[in-house]
Amino acid sequence: MACFSEKQEALVKESWMVMKEDIPALSLYLYKMILEIAPEARGLFSFLKDTTELPQNNPKLKSHAVKVFKMVCEAAIQLREKGEVVITGSTLKYMGTVHVQKGIVDSQFEVVNH
């Protein structure tokens, strides 16, 4: 597995510091982009199933976004420090469990690469 360089880790940490200041707006933007690219993904999120719009003040959406952004930061730090991502007891493990339960496959993650 490729490791993050010190510079890459620093960029992820700096990005996290900026992102966590405005999680509500960023979470709306993230899910807006996901749903524009893959509208069928709406049914995968319990907090989006019963609405045709992004709920701007939805606490579940905000909470989910915090977990996703935090997971990326945790993974980058672990890659740099350990050369691997250890999932025991981490946000990544929880998120992985949810994705497995929902039957998410690797190809569905491609939407967030855009």
Side-chain angles (χ1 to χ4, degrees):
M1 179 183 288
C3 292
F4 273 27
S5 68
E6 287 182 38
K7 183 177 180 178
Q8 289 169 316
E9 179 190 2
L11 288 170
V12 171
K13 285 181 178 178
E14 288 171 28
S15 295
W16 169 245
M17 296 305 288
V18 171
M19 287 188 307
K20 73 180 187 177
E21 296 298 318
D22 200 8
I23 293 293
L26 291 170
S27 62
L28 288 171
Y29 178 76
L30 173 66
Y31 288 94
K32 178 179 176 253
M33 296 307 299
I34 289 172
L35 296 174
E36 282 181 11
I37 295 166
E40 68 279 4
R42 180 177 296 280
L44 298 172
F45 301 100
S46 61
F47 47 84
L48 297 177
K49 277 185 182 178
D50 299 326
T51 181
T52 57
E53 297 179 16
L54 277 175
Q56 296 197 13
N57 294 310
N58 186 313
K60 290 181 181 180
L61 172 62
K62 292 175 188 177
S63 174
H64 183 74
V66 169
K67 288 175 189 167
V68 170
F69 295 145
K70 185 175 179 183
M71 175 192 67
V72 171
C73 188
E74 286 177 1
I77 291 167
Q78 286 185 24
L79 279 173
R80 175 72 186 124
E81 292 175 353
K82 301 175 185 174
E84 64 181 346
V85 177
V86 180
I87 62 169
T88 305
S90 72
T91 304
L92 186 60
K93 182 175 182 176
Y94 168 76
M95 297 291 284
T97 300
V98 171
H99 285 96
V100 167
Q101 289 172 349
K102 291 188 178 272
I104 307 298
V105 295
D106 289 348
S107 63
Q108 290 172 301
F109 289 102
E110 289 301 313
V111 70
V112 294
N113 284 335
H114 294 279

